[in-house]
Amino acid sequence: MGDKMQDDDGPSDSSLLVIIVDTNPNQRYITEDPKVLTGCLDAVIAFANSHLMQKSRNLLGVIGCHFHKSEYLYPSPGKPLDVRQIDGQYELFTLVEKTIKMRLVNLIKSQPQEEKPGESLLAGALAMALCFISRMRREATPGLRMSSRILIVTGSSDTAAQYINYMNVFFTAQKQQVLIDVCSLDKHLSLLQQGCDITGGLYLKVPSLEGLLQYLLWVFLPEASERNELVLPGRGRVDYRAACFCHRELLTIGYVCSVCLSVFCKFSPICTTCHTVFKIGGPLPIKPKKKKMKV
Protein backbone atom coordinates (compact mmCIF):
# COMPACT_ATOMS: atom_id res chain seq x y z
CA MET A 1 0.00 0.00 0.00
CA GLY A 2 2.96 2.28 0.56
CA ASP A 3 3.56 2.97 -3.16
CA LYS A 4 -0.07 4.10 -3.56
CA MET A 5 -0.04 6.47 -0.64
CA GLN A 6 0.36 10.17 -1.17
CA ASP A 7 3.19 12.13 0.40
CA ASP A 8 2.37 15.67 1.44
CA ASP A 9 5.49 17.00 -0.34
CA GLY A 10 4.25 16.68 -3.92
CA PRO A 11 1.09 16.50 -6.02
CA SER A 12 -0.65 13.16 -6.52
CA ASP A 13 -1.58 11.36 -9.73
CA SER A 14 -5.07 10.73 -8.40
CA SER A 15 -7.19 12.15 -5.59
CA LEU A 16 -9.90 10.11 -3.89
CA LEU A 17 -12.59 12.16 -2.15
CA VAL A 18 -15.34 10.60 -0.03
CA ILE A 19 -18.16 12.98 0.93
CA ILE A 20 -20.42 12.15 3.88
CA VAL A 21 -23.73 14.02 3.63
CA ASP A 22 -25.84 14.18 6.79
CA THR A 23 -29.49 13.84 5.74
CA ASN A 24 -31.00 13.46 9.21
CA PRO A 25 -34.38 15.28 9.29
CA ASN A 26 -33.65 16.21 12.91
CA GLN A 27 -31.14 18.88 11.83
CA ARG A 28 -32.25 22.39 12.74
CA TYR A 29 -31.93 23.94 9.30
CA ILE A 30 -34.11 21.14 7.83
CA THR A 31 -36.80 21.40 10.50
CA GLU A 32 -37.03 25.16 9.92
CA ASP A 33 -37.19 24.86 6.10
CA PRO A 34 -37.01 21.40 4.48
CA LYS A 35 -36.37 22.97 1.05
CA VAL A 36 -32.91 24.08 2.22
CA LEU A 37 -31.74 20.45 2.04
CA THR A 38 -32.26 20.52 -1.75
CA GLY A 39 -30.04 23.59 -2.09
CA CYS A 40 -27.34 22.05 0.11
CA LEU A 41 -27.46 18.81 -1.89
CA ASP A 42 -27.09 20.71 -5.18
CA ALA A 43 -24.05 22.51 -3.74
CA VAL A 44 -22.48 19.20 -2.67
CA ILE A 45 -23.10 17.66 -6.12
CA ALA A 46 -21.57 20.68 -7.87
CA PHE A 47 -18.57 20.44 -5.52
CA ALA A 48 -18.21 16.69 -6.23
CA ASN A 49 -18.27 17.30 -10.00
CA SER A 50 -15.66 20.05 -9.58
CA HIS A 51 -13.41 17.52 -7.88
CA LEU A 52 -13.81 15.07 -10.77
CA MET A 53 -13.16 17.87 -13.26
CA GLN A 54 -9.72 18.69 -11.80
CA LYS A 55 -8.04 15.45 -12.97
CA SER A 56 -9.21 12.61 -15.18
CA ARG A 57 -7.96 10.07 -12.60
CA ASN A 58 -9.77 11.63 -9.65
CA LEU A 59 -12.20 9.33 -7.85
CA LEU A 60 -15.35 10.08 -5.87
CA GLY A 61 -17.47 8.40 -3.24
CA VAL A 62 -20.60 9.80 -1.56
CA ILE A 63 -22.23 8.35 1.57
CA GLY A 64 -25.62 9.37 2.91
CA CYS A 65 -25.85 9.40 6.71
CA HIS A 66 -29.27 9.07 8.32
CA PHE A 67 -30.46 8.35 11.85
CA HIS A 68 -31.26 4.68 11.12
CA LYS A 69 -28.40 3.73 8.76
CA SER A 70 -25.68 4.99 6.41
CA GLU A 71 -25.63 4.04 2.74
CA TYR A 72 -23.48 4.56 -0.35
CA LEU A 73 -25.07 7.11 -2.67
CA TYR A 74 -22.27 7.03 -5.26
CA PRO A 75 -20.98 4.89 -6.82
CA SER A 76 -24.11 2.80 -6.92
CA PRO A 77 -23.64 -0.90 -6.13
CA GLY A 78 -24.54 -3.04 -9.11
CA LYS A 79 -25.14 -1.83 -12.64
CA PRO A 80 -24.76 1.96 -13.07
CA LEU A 81 -27.61 4.06 -14.45
CA ASP A 82 -27.97 4.46 -18.20
CA VAL A 83 -27.62 8.21 -18.75
CA ARG A 84 -27.46 10.32 -21.87
CA GLN A 85 -25.91 13.72 -22.45
CA ILE A 86 -28.22 16.56 -21.41
CA ASP A 87 -27.65 20.11 -22.75
CA GLY A 88 -24.02 19.34 -23.50
CA GLN A 89 -23.26 18.22 -19.92
CA TYR A 90 -20.50 15.67 -19.44
CA GLU A 91 -22.09 12.21 -19.03
CA LEU A 92 -20.15 11.49 -15.81
CA PHE A 93 -21.53 14.63 -14.16
CA THR A 94 -25.06 13.62 -15.14
CA LEU A 95 -24.45 10.12 -13.76
CA VAL A 96 -23.20 11.50 -10.43
CA GLU A 97 -26.18 13.84 -10.02
CA LYS A 98 -28.88 11.33 -10.97
CA THR A 99 -27.37 8.47 -8.95
CA ILE A 100 -27.00 10.53 -5.76
CA LYS A 101 -30.52 11.96 -5.93
CA MET A 102 -32.14 8.61 -6.76
CA ARG A 103 -30.38 6.70 -3.98
CA LEU A 104 -30.95 9.53 -1.48
CA VAL A 105 -34.70 9.34 -2.11
CA ASN A 106 -34.57 5.58 -1.47
CA LEU A 107 -32.59 6.15 1.74
CA ILE A 108 -35.10 8.67 3.07
CA LYS A 109 -38.05 6.44 2.15
CA SER A 110 -36.47 3.49 3.98
CA GLN A 111 -36.52 5.26 7.36
CA PRO A 112 -38.93 3.72 9.89
CA GLN A 113 -41.98 5.96 10.12
CA GLU A 114 -42.89 4.98 13.69
CA GLU A 115 -39.38 5.67 15.00
CA LYS A 116 -38.49 9.14 16.24
CA PRO A 117 -35.39 10.57 14.49
CA GLY A 118 -32.30 10.21 16.69
CA GLU A 119 -28.72 11.30 16.25
CA SER A 120 -26.89 10.85 12.96
CA LEU A 121 -24.64 7.80 12.63
CA LEU A 122 -21.60 9.79 11.54
CA ALA A 123 -19.03 7.47 13.16
CA GLY A 124 -20.40 4.52 11.19
CA ALA A 125 -20.36 6.55 7.97
CA LEU A 126 -16.71 7.43 8.62
CA ALA A 127 -15.89 3.75 9.06
CA MET A 128 -17.62 3.00 5.74
CA ALA A 129 -15.60 5.76 4.07
CA LEU A 130 -12.32 4.29 5.36
CA CYS A 131 -13.31 0.84 4.07
CA PHE A 132 -14.12 2.34 0.66
CA ILE A 133 -10.75 4.13 0.57
CA SER A 134 -8.93 0.93 1.54
CA ARG A 135 -10.67 -1.00 -1.25
CA MET A 136 -9.92 1.66 -3.87
CA ARG A 137 -6.25 1.65 -2.84
CA ARG A 138 -6.04 -2.11 -3.26
CA GLU A 139 -7.63 -1.89 -6.72
CA ALA A 140 -5.44 1.02 -7.88
CA THR A 141 -2.71 0.62 -10.47
CA PRO A 142 0.65 -0.28 -8.88
CA GLY A 143 2.84 2.80 -8.48
CA LEU A 144 -0.10 5.24 -8.64
CA ARG A 145 0.25 8.15 -6.21
CA MET A 146 -3.20 8.49 -4.68
CA SER A 147 -4.19 10.98 -1.98
CA SER A 148 -7.32 10.24 0.06
CA ARG A 149 -9.54 12.47 2.16
CA ILE A 150 -13.00 12.52 3.71
CA LEU A 151 -15.34 15.51 3.84
CA ILE A 152 -18.22 15.58 6.34
CA VAL A 153 -21.10 17.97 5.59
CA THR A 154 -23.44 18.05 8.59
CA GLY A 155 -25.78 20.30 10.50
CA SER A 156 -26.31 17.94 13.45
CA SER A 157 -25.39 18.84 16.99
CA ASP A 158 -22.25 17.50 18.64
CA THR A 159 -22.82 14.35 20.69
CA ALA A 160 -20.52 12.41 22.98
CA ALA A 161 -22.55 9.19 22.69
CA GLN A 162 -20.33 8.03 19.81
CA TYR A 163 -17.10 9.24 21.43
CA ILE A 164 -15.35 5.85 21.45
CA ASN A 165 -16.32 5.16 17.84
CA TYR A 166 -15.13 8.61 16.81
CA MET A 167 -11.72 8.15 18.43
CA ASN A 168 -11.27 4.72 16.82
CA VAL A 169 -12.07 6.16 13.40
CA PHE A 170 -9.88 9.25 13.87
CA PHE A 171 -6.75 7.32 14.80
CA THR A 172 -7.40 4.73 12.06
CA ALA A 173 -7.61 7.54 9.52
CA GLN A 174 -4.40 9.05 10.91
CA LYS A 175 -2.62 5.70 10.55
CA GLN A 176 -3.87 5.31 6.97
CA GLN A 177 -2.88 8.93 6.15
CA VAL A 178 -6.45 9.95 5.35
CA LEU A 179 -7.42 13.58 5.97
CA ILE A 180 -10.79 14.31 7.57
CA ASP A 181 -12.38 17.67 6.71
CA VAL A 182 -15.55 18.92 8.39
CA CYS A 183 -18.01 21.49 7.07
CA SER A 184 -20.48 22.37 9.84
CA LEU A 185 -23.75 23.89 8.65
CA ASP A 186 -25.09 24.89 12.06
CA LYS A 187 -23.30 24.47 15.39
CA HIS A 188 -19.70 24.14 16.54
CA LEU A 189 -18.65 20.47 16.67
CA SER A 190 -15.80 19.95 19.12
CA LEU A 191 -15.44 16.16 18.64
CA LEU A 192 -15.26 16.38 14.85
CA GLN A 193 -12.84 19.28 15.20
CA GLN A 194 -10.59 16.91 17.16
CA GLY A 195 -10.69 14.52 14.19
CA CYS A 196 -9.64 17.31 11.83
CA ASP A 197 -6.73 18.23 14.08
CA ILE A 198 -5.62 14.61 14.55
CA THR A 199 -5.62 13.81 10.81
CA GLY A 200 -4.43 17.21 9.54
CA GLY A 201 -7.72 18.20 7.92
CA LEU A 202 -9.65 21.47 7.92
CA TYR A 203 -12.64 22.47 10.02
CA LEU A 204 -15.08 25.20 8.96
CA LYS A 205 -18.38 26.39 10.37
CA VAL A 206 -20.22 27.95 7.44
CA PRO A 207 -21.53 31.43 8.33
CA SER A 208 -24.31 31.32 5.72
CA LEU A 209 -25.92 28.40 3.88
CA GLU A 210 -26.55 30.62 0.85
CA GLY A 211 -22.80 30.61 0.15
CA LEU A 212 -22.21 26.90 0.85
CA LEU A 213 -20.87 26.11 -2.63
CA GLN A 214 -18.41 29.01 -2.49
CA TYR A 215 -17.07 27.85 0.87
CA LEU A 216 -16.76 24.25 -0.35
CA LEU A 217 -14.82 25.28 -3.46
CA TRP A 218 -12.59 27.73 -1.60
CA VAL A 219 -11.68 25.68 1.47
CA PHE A 220 -12.18 21.98 0.69
CA LEU A 221 -11.50 21.59 -3.04
CA PRO A 222 -7.66 21.99 -2.90
CA GLU A 223 -5.67 18.85 -2.10
CA ALA A 224 -3.42 18.59 0.94
CA SER A 225 -0.29 19.36 -1.10
CA GLU A 226 -1.86 22.61 -2.38
CA ARG A 227 -3.25 23.93 0.89
CA ASN A 228 0.10 25.18 2.19
CA GLU A 229 0.22 27.66 -0.70
CA LEU A 230 -3.25 29.07 0.02
CA VAL A 231 -4.65 31.33 2.73
CA LEU A 232 -7.24 29.09 4.38
CA PRO A 233 -9.09 29.35 7.72
CA GLY A 234 -6.93 28.35 10.68
CA ARG A 235 -7.80 25.48 12.96
CA GLY A 236 -8.16 27.74 15.97
CA ARG A 237 -8.30 26.36 19.47
CA VAL A 238 -9.25 22.67 19.61
CA ASP A 239 -11.30 21.40 22.55
CA TYR A 240 -9.61 18.12 23.52
CA ARG A 241 -11.84 17.24 26.45
CA ALA A 242 -12.66 13.54 26.72
CA ALA A 243 -16.15 12.14 27.18
CA CYS A 244 -16.87 9.96 30.19
CA PHE A 245 -17.84 6.37 29.43
CA CYS A 246 -20.73 6.37 31.88
CA HIS A 247 -22.79 9.44 30.88
CA ARG A 248 -21.05 10.45 27.58
CA GLU A 249 -20.43 13.95 28.87
CA LEU A 250 -17.32 16.00 28.13
CA LEU A 251 -15.01 16.32 31.13
CA THR A 252 -12.21 18.59 32.19
CA ILE A 253 -11.16 16.41 35.16
CA GLY A 254 -12.15 12.77 35.62
CA TYR A 255 -11.07 9.29 36.73
CA VAL A 256 -9.13 7.02 34.34
CA CYS A 257 -8.92 3.23 34.55
CA SER A 258 -5.25 2.21 34.73
CA VAL A 259 -5.94 -0.98 32.73
CA CYS A 260 -8.15 0.01 29.76
CA LEU A 261 -7.87 3.84 30.03
CA SER A 262 -11.64 4.32 30.24
CA VAL A 263 -12.69 7.75 31.54
CA PHE A 264 -15.34 8.23 34.23
CA CYS A 265 -16.81 11.32 35.82
CA LYS A 266 -17.26 9.61 39.22
CA PHE A 267 -15.08 7.14 41.08
CA SER A 268 -16.14 3.49 40.99
CA PRO A 269 -14.29 0.55 42.63
CA ILE A 270 -15.06 -1.61 39.55
CA CYS A 271 -14.35 -0.49 35.97
CA THR A 272 -17.55 -0.98 33.96
CA THR A 273 -15.55 -1.43 30.74
CA CYS A 274 -12.94 -4.08 31.61
CA HIS A 275 -14.39 -5.09 35.04
CA THR A 276 -11.12 -4.53 36.85
CA VAL A 277 -11.51 -4.35 40.62
CA PHE A 278 -9.42 -1.65 42.31
CA LYS A 279 -8.11 -2.11 45.81
CA ILE A 280 -9.10 0.74 48.03
CA GLY A 281 -6.69 1.32 50.83
CA GLY A 282 -7.81 2.48 54.22
CA PRO A 283 -7.19 5.97 55.52
CA LEU A 284 -3.59 6.88 56.14
CA PRO A 285 -2.54 6.45 59.78
CA ILE A 286 -2.24 9.70 61.66
CA LYS A 287 1.05 10.06 63.47
CA PRO A 288 0.63 11.11 67.11
CA LYS A 289 1.99 14.49 67.91
CA LYS A 290 5.17 14.46 69.92
CA LYS A 291 4.83 15.90 73.36
CA LYS A 292 7.16 18.70 74.16
CA MET A 293 9.59 17.89 76.96
CA LYS A 294 9.43 20.29 79.83
CA VAL A 295 12.82 21.59 80.81
Side-chain angles (χ1 to χ4, degrees):
M1 190 184 296
D3 56 345
K4 301 174 187 176
M5 299 286 288
Q6 158 64 14
D7 297 325
D8 295 336
D9 299 335
S12 60
D13 301 325
S14 173
S15 176
L16 171 58
L17 171 65
V18 182
I19 305 174
I20 298 176
V21 184
D22 190 351
T23 59
N24 192 334
N26 209 20
Q27 299 175 86
R28 188 168 65 93
Y29 77 93
I30 297 179
T31 56
E32 292 178 354
D33 187 4
K35 296 180 180 178
V36 178
L37 177 61
T38 305
C40 293
L41 184 63
D42 290 338
V44 170
I45 293 174
F47 169 75
N49 286 335
S50 300
H51 167 75
L52 293 174
M53 189 170 54
Q54 284 190 309
K55 293 179 183 177
S56 59
R57 288 185 172 182
N58 280 3
L59 301 172
L60 174 69
V62 181
I63 298 175
C65 178
H66 221 58
F67 68 89
H68 69 296
K69 68 175 180 178
S70 297
E71 197 171 85
Y72 290 104
L73 303 182
Y74 181 87
S76 176
K79 186 180 179 181
L81 294 176
D82 185 16
V83 296
R84 296 180 180 179
Q85 193 178 54
I86 302 175
D87 298 331
Q89 187 183 28
Y90 181 36
E91 289 88 346
L92 179 60
F93 296 166
T94 306
L95 176 64
V96 170
E97 181 179 359
K98 287 194 171 184
T99 304
I100 290 177
K101 289 185 176 181
M102 182 196 71
R103 292 190 59 80
L104 180 58
V105 170
N106 296 334
L107 174 62
I108 294 176
K109 285 183 178 179
S110 67
Q111 69 182 31
Q113 300 297 328
E114 66 280 356
E115 186 176 343
K116 186 179 179 181
E119 62 184 32
S120 301
L121 304 177
L122 286 174
L126 280 166
M128 290 176 62
L130 289 175
C131 293
F132 179 77
I133 290 173
S134 179
R135 178 166 64 88
M136 297 305 294
R137 284 176 172 174
R138 289 198 307 269
E139 297 176 356
T141 306
L144 181 71
R145 290 169 54 85
M146 178 187 293
S147 64
S148 307
R149 52 198 171 103
I150 301 172
L151 171 62
I152 304 173
V153 182
T154 177
S156 296
S157 302
D158 206 0
T159 173
Q162 305 178 54
Y163 175 79
I164 304 175
N165 299 332
Y166 273 137
M167 291 299 116
N168 289 336
V169 170
F170 292 159
F171 288 109
T172 302
Q174 182 190 45
K175 188 174 182 179
Q176 294 185 358
Q177 299 181 19
V178 176
L179 270 67
I180 295 180
D181 297 327
V182 174
C183 179
S184 175
L185 305 181
D186 188 12
K187 300 179 181 179
H188 175 68
L189 307 173
S190 59
L191 286 179
L192 290 179
Q193 189 183 21
Q194 291 183 29
C196 296
D197 191 59
I198 291 171
T199 60
L202 293 175
Y203 173 85
L204 176 68
K205 181 182 177 298
V206 177
S208 173
L209 293 181
E210 286 77 9
L212 176 59
L213 179 58
Q214 287 88 333
Y215 287 110
L216 290 174
L217 295 175
W218 166 48
V219 179
F220 301 109
L221 187 60
E223 296 182 28
S225 59
E226 302 168 349
R227 293 178 178 180
N228 294 331
E229 309 298 328
L230 302 174
V231 180
L232 298 174
R235 291 192 178 94
R237 184 179 178 183
V238 183
D239 184 6
Y240 265 106
R241 288 183 298 168
C244 68
F245 285 35
C246 43
H247 302 95
R248 309 298 184 191
E249 295 180 355
L250 296 178
L251 301 176
T252 304
I253 299 176
Y255 297 89
V256 181
C257 174
S258 58
V259 178
C260 65
L261 302 182
S262 298
V263 182
F264 302 98
C265 57
K266 295 181 180 179
F267 174 77
S268 174
I270 302 176
C271 176
T272 56
T273 304
C274 65
H275 306 291
T276 300
V277 180
F278 300 104
K279 295 181 179 180
I280 305 175
L284 294 175
I286 301 176
K287 294 183 179 181
K289 294 181 179 180
K290 295 182 178 180
K291 295 182 180 180
K292 294 182 179 180
M293 298 291 293
K294 291 183 181 182
V295 181

